[in-house]
Amino acid sequence: MSESGTQQVFGETENSLLTAVNDEFGGVIVEMEPQQHPMDAAAFGSVLRASIYHWREQGKKGVWLKLPIKLANLVEPAVKEGFWYHHAEPTYLMLAYWIPGGVHTLPANASHRVSIGAFIMNDKREVLVVQEKNGTFPGTEVWKFPTGAVDEGEDIFATAVREVKEETGIDSEFVEVLAFRQSHKFFFEKSDLFFVCMMRPLSFDIQKQESEIHAAEWMPFEEYAAQPFVQRNELMKYINNTCLAKIDSTYSGFSPVPITSSFSDEKSYFYFNTSRP
Amino acid sequence: MSESGTQQVFGETENSLLTAVNDEFGGVIVEMEPQQHPMDAAAFGSVLRASIYHWREQGKKGVWLKLPIKLANLVEPAVKEGFWYHHAEPTYLMLAYWIPGGVHTLPANASHRVSIGAFIMNDKREVLVVQEKNGTFPGTEVWKFPTGAVDEGEDIFATAVREVKEETGIDSEFVEVLAFRQSHKFFFEKSDLFFVCMMRPLSFDIQKQESEIHAAEWMPFEEYAAQPFVQRNELMKYINNTCLAKIDSTYSGFSPVPITSSFSDEKSYFYFNTSRP
């Protein structure tokens, strides 16, 4: 029997079973489609029970159940059958079930948001800074580096290039991760990893984003660093000292190299200090 | 009117409103308790609608609604009132609603799992390695560094100390982040950040963890690096070269310093190259 691919199986009773795809770890994935499954809660509970019975006979372990938000009525019957919440995104809820019982070996949920701040300087020693319309310091006169969150599946260096372009219209190339900051309770129990990225500008004419950016300009680094907001903030001072060390000294951050995995087709990146062999 | 603290408010009708706490961003947080709210779906929908009306009159923006998994029956009525899924953990689902309409400014969900691998060597140039009972390479003869995922709210350096202790019984202190790897689709659309951590051993007698570790030992680094699994794997080779550069050369990684925020009581850590001023 094939260990991958879609299987649609029908039991001995008139109840059909759920359509499932085998995963790589001896489990199955069920992705419910609102169009294909107009189902009431009781009928769904019954089909789910029969399906679990079937998967148990097949020796399956983990069951992933993806319920689009339009099928919110099926959350309760799934929980009644023993499913728990694994993760959620705006449009769906992913539930999980562990057929063998005992402690499951399913991966833990994502715990961190990842964001970047872009340090980008021209050859007049001016740094690219913005005033945000919203954000942490709305309505203040604070000038700050372009910042932003890593999108789903996005590489850190790509986020930095994208955010600089989106907020200021400046083209840039990624140089190094100079430093990072880990903080907790970014929202509720989730944490944040903030990467300070050094960029090299490839263009210089600013076209600021209208929706989120109040103003953008090239500002002498010393003027940026002299802002009271920067002077009062311990993190900002560390960031500025790191940036200055990079410009004026021999500071080395981490640069990315692509890695080909022997286990999947996905390319990942290894960030390390390349200044020494 | 106080901008923080719990408010229990009753409307003009006989329907009570939901108990809410103000957040720092002009919104409210509702944490439903299974004991306090034995409520059927229709009644909940009605109270929720009245509460949203009340919060709108107060000028509130975001509404967070935390539903414990025991109240799975209230997911559907919340979605019917316009809530969407923000995130979920095994025991609860967090829904969100944006009263002003239009594009919301609530934080994006966590996108990354964070994990560590611990490089720890004694003065005989032996590295601490384990064979896992489960994990990526179960049932093989692969020797690898102790690894593990960052727990909720845990600092990277603390995870490294904890995992080495749990898996091998060895006490250690954190030295540096030598490098990190960002990969995607770790599970579904979530990504992974894996930090290679250099540790200094403070004890040397191995007491391996029975439940997850098949074997643990101090192994000559060259013997570890000569394993076919390591030789074939591009990431492993980069990691090993980085570790060797740290031992035999002047490689510099990132070290953490504590940062006190001017915005919260939470202490965060800034990781940077401290080898230059």
Side-chain angles (χ1 to χ4, degrees):
Chain A
M1 184 170 158
S2 166
E3 274 301 294
S4 68
T6 303
Q7 52 173 345
Q8 171 102 47
V9 199
F10 293 88
E12 292 94 314
T13 75
E14 61 256 4
N15 281 334
S16 66
L17 302 182
L18 294 168
T19 303
V21 174
N22 293 312
D23 70 18
E24 301 160 48
F25 308 101
V28 292
I29 304 169
V30 177
E31 296 203 24
M32 299 292 287
E33 303 286 345
Q35 305 84 342
Q36 293 175 350
H37 297 82
M39 204 178 278
D40 72 23
F44 180 70
S46 163
V47 173
L48 189 55
R49 209 173 310 126
S51 301
I52 291 171
Y53 184 86
H54 174 73
W55 296 320
R56 178 175 282 121
E57 293 213 311
Q58 289 188 315
K60 296 297 180 192
K61 295 178 182 171
V63 180
W64 298 98
L65 174 63
K66 184 175 179 178
L67 288 181
I69 193 164
K70 286 188 178 173
L71 299 182
N73 63 314
L74 303 187
V75 174
E76 187 185 12
V79 170
K80 278 186 177 160
E81 294 305 321
F83 279 78
W84 70 89
Y85 303 150
H86 188 273
H87 65 279
E89 295 295 332
T91 60
Y92 72 87
L93 174 62
M94 185 72 79
L95 297 102
Y97 183 84
W98 188 244
I99 293 177
V103 179
H104 73 79
T105 61
L106 300 174
N109 192 5
S111 54
H112 286 62
R113 188 184 79 146
V114 178
S115 58
I116 64 92
F119 169 58
I120 176 167
M121 190 178 261
N122 64 19
D123 54 11
K124 286 180 268 185
R125 208 180 167 87
E126 292 168 332
V127 64
L128 184 62
V129 290
V130 300
Q131 285 183 336
E132 293 179 345
K133 286 187 176 172
N134 299 300
T136 317
F137 314 104
T140 66
E141 302 283 304
V142 169
W143 291 97
K144 52 189 283 299
F145 292 172
T147 54
V150 169
D151 283 344
E152 182 180 286
E154 190 176 41
D155 287 305
I156 290 164
F157 62 84
T159 306
V161 170
R162 176 180 58 75
E163 287 287 351
V164 169
K165 179 71 177 177
E166 282 180 7
E167 294 194 354
T168 69
I170 299 293
D171 296 305
S172 64
E173 65 179 0
F174 184 86
V175 181
E176 274 182 2
V177 167
L178 294 182
F180 64 87
R181 191 270 309 256
Q182 187 192 22
S183 59
H184 302 298
K185 295 188 182 293
F186 166 69
F187 65 91
F188 300 101
E189 303 309 318
K190 300 294 184 178
S191 301
D192 183 80
L193 274 164
F194 175 75
F195 290 86
V196 181
C197 299
M198 171 142 180
M199 315 295 290
R200 185 177 296 123
L202 299 175
S203 72
F204 301 91
D205 287 341
I206 291 173
Q207 299 262 332
K208 80 176 178 70
Q209 186 182 48
E210 289 305 319
S211 60
E212 292 177 26
I213 302 300
H214 174 65
E217 65 177 55
W218 293 101
M219 177 180 280
F221 186 85
E222 282 65 26
E223 187 179 331
Y224 160 78
Q227 296 178 94
F229 144 79
V230 174
Q231 289 294 315
R232 279 196 308 265
N233 188 297
E234 198 178 0
L235 175 63
M236 290 293 162
K237 282 203 275 190
Y238 269 107
I239 291 175
N240 289 353
N241 289 342
T242 305
C243 294
L244 279 179
K246 180 68 195 176
I247 301 163
D248 297 331
S249 177
T250 57
Y251 186 91
S252 294
F254 290 169
S255 302
V257 294
I259 299 281
T260 310
S261 167
S262 38
F263 304 108
S264 83
D265 297 336
E266 286 285 318
K267 184 173 284 180
S268 65
Y269 284 84
F270 186 68
Y271 292 72
F272 69 117
N273 185 339
T274 56
S275 67
R276 301 279 172 180
Chain B
M1 183 170 158
S2 167
E3 272 302 293
S4 68
T6 302
Q7 51 173 345
Q8 172 103 48
V9 199
F10 294 90
E12 292 94 313
T13 73
E14 61 256 3
N15 282 333
S16 66
L17 303 183
L18 293 168
T19 303
V21 174
N22 294 313
D23 70 18
E24 301 161 48
F25 308 100
V28 293
I29 304 169
V30 177
E31 297 202 24
M32 298 293 287
E33 302 285 346
Q35 306 84 342
Q36 293 176 351
H37 296 83
M39 204 178 277
D40 72 23
F44 179 70
S46 163
V47 172
L48 189 54
R49 207 172 313 127
S51 300
I52 291 171
Y53 183 86
H54 174 73
W55 297 320
R56 178 174 282 121
E57 292 212 313
Q58 288 189 315
K60 297 297 180 191
K61 294 179 183 173
V63 180
W64 298 98
L65 173 62
K66 185 176 180 176
L67 289 182
I69 193 165
K70 286 186 180 174
L71 298 182
N73 64 314
L74 303 187
V75 175
E76 186 185 10
V79 170
K80 277 187 178 160
E81 294 304 322
F83 280 77
W84 69 89
Y85 303 149
H86 189 273
H87 65 279
E89 295 294 333
T91 60
Y92 72 87
L93 174 62
M94 185 72 79
L95 297 101
Y97 183 85
W98 188 245
I99 293 177
V103 179
H104 73 79
T105 61
L106 299 173
N109 192 3
S111 55
H112 286 62
R113 188 186 80 145
V114 178
S115 58
I116 64 93
F119 169 58
I120 175 166
M121 191 178 259
N122 64 20
D123 54 11
K124 286 181 270 185
R125 208 179 166 87
E126 292 168 332
V127 64
L128 184 63
V129 289
V130 299
Q131 286 182 335
E132 292 178 348
K133 286 186 177 173
N134 299 299
T136 317
F137 315 104
T140 67
E141 302 282 304
V142 169
W143 291 97
K144 52 188 282 301
F145 293 171
T147 54
V150 170
D151 283 344
E152 182 179 288
E154 190 176 41
D155 286 306
I156 289 164
F157 63 85
T159 306
V161 170
R162 176 179 57 74
E163 287 287 350
V164 168
K165 180 69 176 177
E166 283 180 7
E167 294 194 356
T168 70
I170 298 294
D171 295 306
S172 64
E173 65 179 0
F174 185 86
V175 182
E176 274 182 3
V177 167
L178 294 183
F180 65 86
R181 193 269 309 255
Q182 186 191 23
S183 59
H184 302 298
K185 294 188 181 292
F186 167 69
F187 67 90
F188 300 101
E189 304 308 318
K190 299 295 185 179
S191 302
D192 183 80
L193 273 165
F194 175 75
F195 290 85
V196 181
C197 299
M198 172 143 181
M199 316 294 291
R200 185 177 296 123
L202 299 175
S203 72
F204 300 92
D205 289 339
I206 291 172
Q207 300 261 330
K208 79 175 179 71
Q209 186 183 47
E210 289 306 320
S211 60
E212 291 178 26
I213 301 300
H214 174 66
E217 66 176 57
W218 293 101
M219 176 179 282
F221 186 84
E222 282 66 24
E223 186 179 332
Y224 160 77
Q227 295 179 94
F229 146 78
V230 173
Q231 289 295 315
R232 278 197 308 265
N233 188 298
E234 198 178 359
L235 174 63
M236 291 294 163
K237 282 203 276 191
Y238 269 107
I239 291 174
N240 290 354
N241 290 342
T242 305
C243 293
L244 279 179
K246 181 67 197 176
I247 302 162
D248 297 332
S249 178
T250 57
Y251 186 93
S252 295
F254 290 169
S255 302
V257 294
I259 299 281
T260 310
S261 167
S262 38
F263 305 107
S264 84
D265 297 336
E266 287 285 317
K267 184 173 285 181
S268 64
Y269 284 85
F270 186 67
Y271 292 72
F272 69 117
N273 185 338
T274 56
S275 67
R276 303 277 170 177

